[in-house]
């Protein structure tokens, strides 16, 4: 079972310079984060945190695969992930996430939770359309889709053409 506590970075304890963190996230992480887009996967995260006083520069590199449903056959497919992102954190009086690249961490707490940040980076790397490579879709579902598509095409061909459109079509042919 994955606990998201391992993804809490105590920024106050970091010394000036670069600190390196590694996380291996699997299905348990995706279940714990409880997000709708991705429920399974294996991701390796390298995180470098560069401290410069009260400002922290975080460099994320996430590599691995996530399992998402194919848009055509609905079977799970592996989607490769390779994303590099940057985030800047600073201490402030209260937590704030108003900017995409700048996060304010409460000075009194001093801890930054990167669990959701990593999930967002991974989710944004998934293409909008995810489809198996040609020939890898579920054959039973592909057959049903082809039959439904053929039925739909057959219906449109049998419908009579509105006579007004037919007359316009004849005008186009004359020219």
């Amino acid at each position: 079972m994955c606990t998201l506590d391992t993804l809490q970075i105590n920024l106050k304890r970091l010394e000036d310079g670069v600190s390196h963190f590694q996380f291996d996230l699997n299905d348990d992480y995706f279940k714990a984060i409880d997000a709708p887009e991705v429920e399974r996967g294996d991701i390796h995260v390298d995180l470098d945190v560069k401290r410069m006083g009260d400002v922290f520069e975080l460099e994320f590199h996430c590599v691995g695969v996530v399992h998402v449903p194919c848009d055509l056959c609905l079977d799970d497919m592996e989607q490769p992930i390779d994303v590099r992102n940057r985030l800047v954190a600073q201490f402030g009086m209260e937590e704030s996430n108003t900017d995409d690249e700048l996060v304010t961490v409460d000075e009194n707490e001093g801890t930054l939770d990167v669990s959701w940040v990593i999930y967002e980076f991974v989710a944004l790397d998934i293409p909008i359309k995810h489809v198996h490579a040609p020939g890898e879709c579920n054959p039973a579902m592909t057959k049903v889709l082809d039959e439904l598509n053929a039925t739909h095409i057959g219906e449109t061909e049998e419908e009579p053409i509105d006579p007004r459109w037919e007359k316009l079509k004849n005008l186009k042919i004359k020219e």
Side-chain angles (χ1 to χ4, degrees), residues 17-37:
V18 178
S19 300
H20 184 74
F21 300 90
Q22 291 185 342
F23 308 106
D24 288 312
L25 308 176
N26 56 23
D27 295 348
D28 293 334
Y29 161 78
F30 290 103
K31 285 180 183 141
I33 202 82
D34 194 29
E37 293 294 318

Side-chain angles (χ1 to χ4, degrees), residues 11 14-17 50-56 89-91:
L11 298 176
L14 297 181
E15 295 180 15
D16 280 349
K50 182 178 181 182
R51 181 174 185 166
M52 301 163 287
D54 285 347
V55 178
F56 303 85
Q90 66 181 8
F91 288 131

Side-chain angles (χ1 to χ4, degrees), residues 70-71 73-78 130-138:
C70 173
D71 290 340
C73 70
L74 302 178
D75 280 357
D76 274 355
M77 61 174 276
E78 287 187 352
H130 20 89
V131 180
H132 282 109
E136 291 186 18
C137 275
N138 180 334

Side-chain angles (χ1 to χ4, degrees), residues 138-156:
N138 180 334
M141 183 62 86
T142 304
K143 182 180 175 187
V144 170
L145 287 172
D146 289 342
E147 289 172 0
L148 289 173
N149 194 23
T151 303
H152 181 67
I153 291 171
E155 290 174 356
T156 58

Side-chain angles (χ1 to χ4, degrees), residues 31-48:
K31 285 180 183 141
I33 202 82
D34 194 29
E37 293 294 318
V38 182
E39 295 177 1
R40 295 183 7 191
D42 289 304
I43 303 288
H44 176 78
V45 179
D46 285 314
L47 171 59
D48 289 326

Side-chain angles (χ1 to χ4, degrees), residues 16 29 39 51 83 95 100 102 110 119 125 129 168 174-175:
D16 280 349
Y29 161 78
E39 295 177 1
R51 181 174 185 166
V83 63
E95 285 191 30
D100 288 341
L102 177 65
Y119 176 80
D125 195 50
K129 183 176 181 180
L168 285 173
K174 288 181 184 179
E175 294 178 8

Side-chain angles (χ1 to χ4, degrees), residues 97-164:
N97 294 338
T98 57
D99 189 359
D100 288 341
E101 290 187 14
L102 177 65
V103 176
T104 303
V105 177
D106 186 354
E107 283 182 86
N108 299 327
E109 188 176 318
T111 302
L112 177 64
D113 182 0
V114 295
S115 60
W116 188 255
V117 173
I118 292 170
Y119 176 80
E120 285 182 340
F121 291 156
V122 168
L124 288 173
D125 195 50
I126 299 171
I128 292 174
K129 183 176 181 180
H130 20 89
V131 180
H132 282 109
E136 291 186 18
C137 275
N138 180 334
M141 183 62 86
T142 304
K143 182 180 175 187
V144 170
L145 287 172
D146 289 342
E147 289 172 0
L148 289 173
N149 194 23
T151 303
H152 181 67
I153 291 171
E155 290 174 356
T156 58
E157 291 178 290
E158 294 175 13
E159 291 179 10
I161 298 175
D162 186 327
R164 295 172 289 188

